[in-house]
Amino acid sequence: MNDGKVYRITFYNQGDIYELHAREVQQSNMYAFVEVEDIIFGERTSIVVDPSEERLKSEFEGVRRTYIPLQAVIRIDEVEREGANKIIASDGSNKVTPFPLPRPEHRKQPD
C-alpha cells in the first residue's frame, strides 16, 4: 500500500506532453520502463469539462497499469493531493531536452 501518496508523472507521448496523477509509480520489471498504476481522474462535480482530461480519461479507460519508456519521462513528483490530468500540446517551444542516447555508430559491437 502506498499510504495515501499521490504522484504527478509528466512525460512525452506522440509529440505532446502528458501529465497524469497516480497512486503507484515504480520501476518496471521490463528494462527501461516506469510502471504507473491506479491513475486518478477527477470526479465530474461541475458543469465545466476539461477536454484534455476527458481525452486522457477515454485513452486510459480500462487500463489497470501502463508502462512509460524511461526516456519519455520528464519528471515524477510526489504531491500533496491530486490535480487535473492534462495534455499540453508541444509546439517545439518547450525547453525540455530528452536524455541523450548514444549514436548507433558509437555503440559497442558484439564480438
Side-chain angles (χ1 to χ4, degrees):
M1 210 61 185
N2 71 352
D3 301 323
K5 293 180 182 176
V6 176
Y7 300 93
R8 179 178 54 221
I9 305 97
T10 309
F11 61 97
Y12 282 110
N13 185 34
Q14 299 177 351
D16 292 328
I17 298 174
Y18 282 41
E19 188 173 284
L20 293 178
H21 290 78
R23 298 196 194 287
E24 296 285 335
V25 177
Q26 56 199 359
Q27 181 177 336
S28 172
N29 289 334
M30 291 190 291
Y31 181 71
F33 282 85
V34 173
E35 184 176 320
V36 177
E37 192 172 354
D38 196 11
I39 299 170
I40 304 167
F41 289 100
E43 297 297 319
R44 293 185 189 176
T45 56
S46 67
I47 297 175
V48 179
V49 176
D50 183 4
S52 68
E53 185 165 21
E54 289 301 310
R55 181 174 151 203
L56 282 169
K57 198 170 193 177
S58 65
E59 184 173 337
F60 288 98
E61 184 177 9
V63 174
R64 288 186 24 213
R65 178 179 304 131
T66 189
Y67 299 90
I68 301 169
L70 192 57
Q71 67 270 19
V73 175
I74 297 170
R75 67 186 292 161
I76 299 172
D77 299 315
E78 183 179 336
V79 294
E80 291 183 13
R81 60 182 168 271
E82 63 188 73
N85 297 328
K86 56 188 163 188
I87 299 172
I88 304 164
S90 178
D91 59 1
S93 66
N94 297 314
K95 301 296 182 199
V96 178
T97 304
F99 190 77
L101 297 173
R103 293 185 308 200
E105 65 267 12
H106 291 151
R107 292 183 185 159
K108 185 178 177 183
Q109 298 296 323
D111 296 327

